[in-house]
């Protein structure tokens, strides 16, 4: 293979995977050393293979890892050389005056140390409280990510593209819906609305009135994403987004911005 | 990902790396929040040892802190680098090797077919990758997982499973071909 391109395209992915060995590996590497085109292909293969990491079950590191990392980092940042305190001896000649001269700075140092420890303790408690909040938030996001991942990979999940309606502002959205699980994921980009308005997503069933599936107010330029649980087993005819008074309405009342039929 | 402030969560990886070079610890904390979950998952899957996984996780971010200036965004995405380094180190630990070569921030280029800077992007990728693997025939999936998560070569997989080497090679070739088609984003 040396001097000629690898005959099989899969060799790039197999090399990135670390599966090639023996002569195959040697030949691939010797060719790669002198071929810019193959290096580019390998870069793409490296990226594809790196994505396999996402097949791993989601876990979170303990908060202690970040704490240790940040302490390690802080220890390596340039430190300001604290000027050493210089104690000037008192000129008093009496023994009591000399003791006071020693004890007063010591007492002061103890008091200062106690104050610093107290302040530091308060700071640590605030950090711990913040970390607890972060952990809870991460755990909830991970759980949501799992549910979304399962929804996306389920064979009976339908993907519905929502198209913007005539004379309405530009926008785009997609809904993944699984009626068996009673769950949908909305991802969309719409123009921001006035503070007294909200967008509202509707599940339009085959029979009966539209069911509210979430209210949202997008920030300029940002993608909105939400996972919504709805009653299981509803056969959907379409999904739609309407513009409603802030906070949403029990049934659609405003103009229809996006609609997507379930095929 | 989580734990980032509003401003940090909007900052790009490249901007955060630039701030790390300026010794901004909050930028490192933001990248840690964004990618530590992703790396922790793969490290734990490979090592099945939480303590070892956390040691490597800390070490990877400390390496980023020390050598951020070597990172060249034109040669690949940061999460791509982090994932490759994490896998290399975990497999080296698993097989009691020295850290594999190619983990420097300067070596092999890695082009991820997707951006991973947002939680949504990471979630979508989890679904896509799991879906793609679920659709592979059982033997192909097993071969891919032995290669990726245990760092086994063709021959080592054949030895482990007792299947003929040619069969293992065919399975892996078919699997990477299918994944390549499915990973196009």
């Amino acid at each position: 293979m040396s001097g000629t391109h690898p005959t099989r395209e899969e060799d790039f992915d197999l090399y990135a995977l670390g599966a090639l060995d023996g002569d195959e590996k040697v030949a691939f590497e010797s060719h790669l050393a002198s071929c810019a085109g193959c290096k580019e292909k390998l870069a793409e293969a490296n990226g594809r293979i790196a994505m396999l990491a996402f097949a791993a079950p989601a876990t979170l590191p303990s908060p202690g890892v970040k704490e240790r990392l940040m302490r390690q980092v802080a220890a390596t940042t340039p430190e300001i050389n604290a000027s050493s305190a210089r104690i000037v001896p008192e000129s008093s000649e009496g023994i009591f005056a000399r003791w006071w001269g020693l004890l007063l700075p010591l007492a002061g140092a103890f008091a200062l140390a106690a104050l610093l420890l107290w302040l530091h303790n308060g700071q640590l408690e605030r950090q711990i409280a913040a970390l607890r909040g972060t952990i809870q938030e991460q755990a909830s996001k991970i759980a949501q990510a799992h549910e979304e991942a399962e929804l996306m990979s389920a064979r009976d999940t339908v993907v519905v593209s929502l198209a913007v309606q005539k004379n309405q502002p530009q926008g785009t959205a997609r809904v993944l819906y699984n009626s068996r699980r009673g769950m949908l994921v909305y991802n969309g980009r719409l123009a921001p609305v006035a503070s007294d308005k909200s967008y509202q997503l509707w599940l339009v069933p085959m029979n009966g009135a539209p069911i509210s599936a979430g209210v949202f107010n997008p920030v300029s330029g940002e993608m909105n994403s939400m996972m919504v649980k709805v009653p299981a087993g509803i056969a959907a005819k379409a999904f739609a987004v309407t513009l409603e008074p802030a906070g949403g309405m029990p049934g659609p009342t405003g103009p229809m911005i996006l609609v997507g039929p379930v095929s | 990902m989580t734990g980032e402030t509003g401003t940090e969560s909007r900052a790009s990886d490249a901007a955060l790396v630039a701030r790390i070079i300026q010794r901004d610890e909050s930028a490192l904390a933001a990248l840690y929040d964004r990618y530590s979950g992703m790396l922790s998952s793969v490290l734990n899957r490979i090592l099945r040892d939480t303590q070892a996984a956390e040691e490597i996780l800390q070490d990877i971010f400390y390496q980023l802190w020390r050598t951020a200036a070597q990172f060249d965004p034109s040669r690949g995405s940061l999460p791509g680098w982090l994932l490759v380094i994490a896998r290399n180190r975990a497999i080296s630990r698993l097989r009691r090797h020295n850290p594999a070569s190619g983990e420097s921030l300067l070596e092999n280029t890695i082009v991820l077919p997707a951006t991973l800077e947002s939680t949504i992007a990471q979630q979508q990728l989890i679904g896509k990758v799991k879906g793609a693997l679920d659709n592979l025939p059982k033997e192909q999936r097993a071969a891919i997982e032995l290669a990726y998560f245990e760092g086994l070569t063709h021959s080592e997989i054949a030895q482990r499973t007792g299947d003929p080497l040619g069969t293992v090679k065919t399975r892996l070739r078919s699997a990477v071909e299918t994944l390549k088609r499915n990973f196009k984003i």
Side-chain angles (χ1 to χ4, degrees), chain B residues 7-78:
Chain B
T7 313
E8 306 289 23
S9 66
R10 285 192 293 275
S12 69
D13 287 352
L16 290 171
V17 169
R19 282 168 46 195
I20 289 176
I21 295 168
Q22 302 301 316
R23 306 284 85 180
D24 180 346
E25 293 172 21
S26 67
L28 181 71
L31 282 176
Y32 180 92
D33 290 339
R34 190 173 288 178
Y35 294 124
S36 59
M38 169 184 93
L39 297 179
S40 169
S41 303
V42 70
L43 288 169
N44 276 300
R45 170 66 181 80
I46 293 171
L47 292 163
R48 300 183 190 280
D49 176 344
T50 308
Q51 193 184 344
E54 292 191 345
E55 275 172 25
I56 294 178
L57 181 68
Q58 182 183 340
D59 204 38
I60 289 170
F61 280 97
Y62 187 57
Q63 183 188 354
L64 178 63
W65 173 254
R66 286 185 295 108
T67 60
Q70 295 175 10
F71 177 68
D72 177 0
S74 70
R75 299 193 61 195
S77 75
L78 181 68

Side-chain angles (χ1 to χ4, degrees), chain A residues 10, chain B residues 172-182:
Chain A
E10 311 92 79
Chain B
L172 275 175
R173 282 191 187 279
S174 304
V176 295
E177 251 182 352
T178 309
L179 292 177
K180 187 176 174 182
R181 280 198 304 276
N182 289 335

Side-chain angles (χ1 to χ4, degrees), chain A residues 8-11 13-21 24 32 39-40 42-66 68-70 72-74 76-78 134 137-138 141-142 144-146 148-150 152-153 155 174 187 222-225, chain B residues 1-3 10 23 25-26 28-29 32-33 36-38 40-42 44-45 54 57-58 61-62 65 80 83-84 87 108-114 116 119-120 122-127 129-131 133-135 144-145 147-149 151-156 169 172-173 176-177 179-180 183 185:
Chain A
R8 299 182 188 188
E9 285 294 307
E10 311 92 79
D11 282 342
D13 292 73
L14 292 172
Y15 181 77
L17 191 60
L20 292 187
D21 53 11
E24 285 178 319
L32 197 68
K39 278 183 187 164
E40 273 182 35
L42 179 61
E44 288 170 10
N46 280 332
R48 278 193 296 277
I49 295 303
M51 294 207 308
L52 288 171
F54 287 91
T59 63
L60 282 176
S62 67
V65 184
K66 187 175 179 187
R68 288 194 293 276
L69 171 71
M70 299 318 289
Q72 190 179 18
V73 162
T76 60
T77 49
T134 303
E137 193 188 342
Q138 284 193 332
K141 287 198 174 179
I142 289 282
Q144 184 177 333
H146 265 290
E148 287 191 25
E150 282 176 13
M152 285 179 209
S153 56
R155 289 173 193 275
R174 193 179 70 160
N187 284 307
E222 286 194 359
M223 181 77 98
N224 264 97
S225 176
Chain B
M1 209 164 11
T2 47
R10 285 192 293 275
R23 306 284 85 180
E25 293 172 21
S26 67
L28 181 71
Y32 180 92
D33 290 339
S36 59
M38 169 184 93
S40 169
S41 303
V42 70
N44 276 300
R45 170 66 181 80
E54 292 191 345
L57 181 68
Q58 182 183 340
F61 280 97
Y62 187 57
W65 173 254
L83 284 171
V84 169
R87 178 184 175 232
N108 294 335
T109 305
I110 300 152
V111 179
L112 275 188
L116 298 179
T119 311
I120 296 171
Q122 291 187 21
Q123 288 167 3
Q124 285 175 339
L125 206 50
I126 290 172
V129 172
K130 286 190 171 170
L133 284 172
D134 283 346
N135 286 331
I144 280 281
E145 290 188 339
Y148 184 79
F149 290 116
L152 301 188
T153 64
H154 283 142
S155 316
E156 289 166 332
K169 285 185 176 183
L172 275 175
R173 282 191 187 279
V176 295
E177 251 182 352
L179 292 177
K180 187 176 174 182
F183 283 180
I185 294 172

Side-chain angles (χ1 to χ4, degrees), chain A residues 162-164 168-173 189-191 258:
Chain A
L162 278 64
V164 72
Q168 295 300 339
Q170 284 303 299
T172 176
R189 200 186 297 277
L190 283 167
L258 298 172

Side-chain angles (χ1 to χ4, degrees), chain A:
Chain A
M1 193 155 54
S2 181
T4 60
H5 293 289
T7 51
R8 299 182 188 188
E9 285 294 307
E10 311 92 79
D11 282 342
F12 296 98
D13 292 73
L14 292 172
Y15 181 77
L17 191 60
L20 292 187
D21 53 11
D23 292 345
E24 285 178 319
K25 185 179 179 190
V26 172
F28 186 88
E29 285 179 341
S30 71
H31 171 74
L32 197 68
S34 59
C35 182
C38 285
K39 278 183 187 164
E40 273 182 35
K41 284 186 176 181
L42 179 61
E44 288 170 10
N46 280 332
R48 278 193 296 277
I49 295 303
M51 294 207 308
L52 288 171
F54 287 91
T59 63
L60 282 176
S62 67
V65 184
K66 187 175 179 187
E67 282 173 30
R68 288 194 293 276
L69 171 71
M70 299 318 289
R71 273 203 304 272
Q72 190 179 18
V73 162
T76 60
T77 49
E79 289 175 4
I80 299 162
N81 289 329
S83 57
S84 54
R86 184 173 295 174
I87 299 167
V88 180
E90 286 192 29
S91 58
S92 170
E93 291 174 15
I95 189 166
F96 291 111
R98 207 170 298 148
W99 272 108
W100 276 117
L102 285 170
L103 287 174
L104 274 175
L106 272 176
F110 275 120
L112 183 62
L115 177 66
L116 289 174
L117 278 172
W118 181 72
L119 288 172
H120 186 56
N121 189 42
Q123 192 185 8
L124 284 175
E125 280 176 358
R126 283 192 295 280
Q127 283 177 349
I128 289 166
L131 283 167
R132 283 203 182 108
T134 303
I135 292 164
Q136 281 172 354
E137 193 188 342
Q138 284 193 332
S140 129
K141 287 198 174 179
I142 289 282
Q144 184 177 333
H146 265 290
E147 283 192 273
E148 287 191 25
E150 282 176 13
L151 179 80
M152 285 179 209
S153 56
R155 289 173 193 275
D156 53 348
T157 294
V158 292
V159 181
V160 184
S161 294
L162 278 64
V164 72
Q165 298 301 286
K166 205 173 175 186
N167 300 326
Q168 295 300 339
Q170 284 303 299
T172 176
R174 193 179 70 160
V175 170
L176 285 89
Y177 176 58
N178 189 304
S179 72
R180 179 175 52 85
R181 291 167 185 249
M183 191 189 292
L184 65 87
V185 172
Y186 166 92
N187 284 307
R189 200 186 297 277
L190 283 167
V193 289
S195 58
D196 61 340
K197 297 282 182 192
S198 293
Y199 289 113
Q200 193 161 4
L201 175 66
W202 302 96
L203 185 166
V204 185
M206 288 291 184
N207 299 302
I211 298 164
S212 176
V215 176
F216 55 97
N217 284 69
V219 178
S220 179
E222 286 194 359
M223 181 77 98
N224 264 97
S225 176
M226 57 185 182
M227 188 177 73
V228 184
K229 299 214 170 173
V230 291
I234 296 176
K237 186 163 65 180
F239 287 89
V241 173
T242 60
L243 187 60
E244 302 292 343
M249 298 293 284
T253 61
M256 203 170 285
I257 311 295
L258 298 172
V259 178
V262 177
S263 53

Side-chain angles (χ1 to χ4, degrees), chain B residues 82-134:
Chain B
L82 295 173
L83 284 171
V84 169
I85 290 172
R87 178 184 175 232
N88 283 353
R89 288 206 179 180
I91 287 172
S92 296
R93 169 79 71 106
L94 194 68
R95 311 190 78 184
R96 311 211 181 281
H97 286 171
N98 289 325
S101 61
E103 71 166 27
S104 152
L105 289 176
L106 286 173
E107 292 178 29
N108 294 335
T109 305
I110 300 152
V111 179
L112 275 188
T115 173
L116 298 179
E117 290 181 12
S118 74
T119 311
I120 296 171
Q122 291 187 21
Q123 288 167 3
Q124 285 175 339
L125 206 50
I126 290 172
K128 199 175 185 82
V129 172
K130 286 190 171 170
L133 284 172
D134 283 346

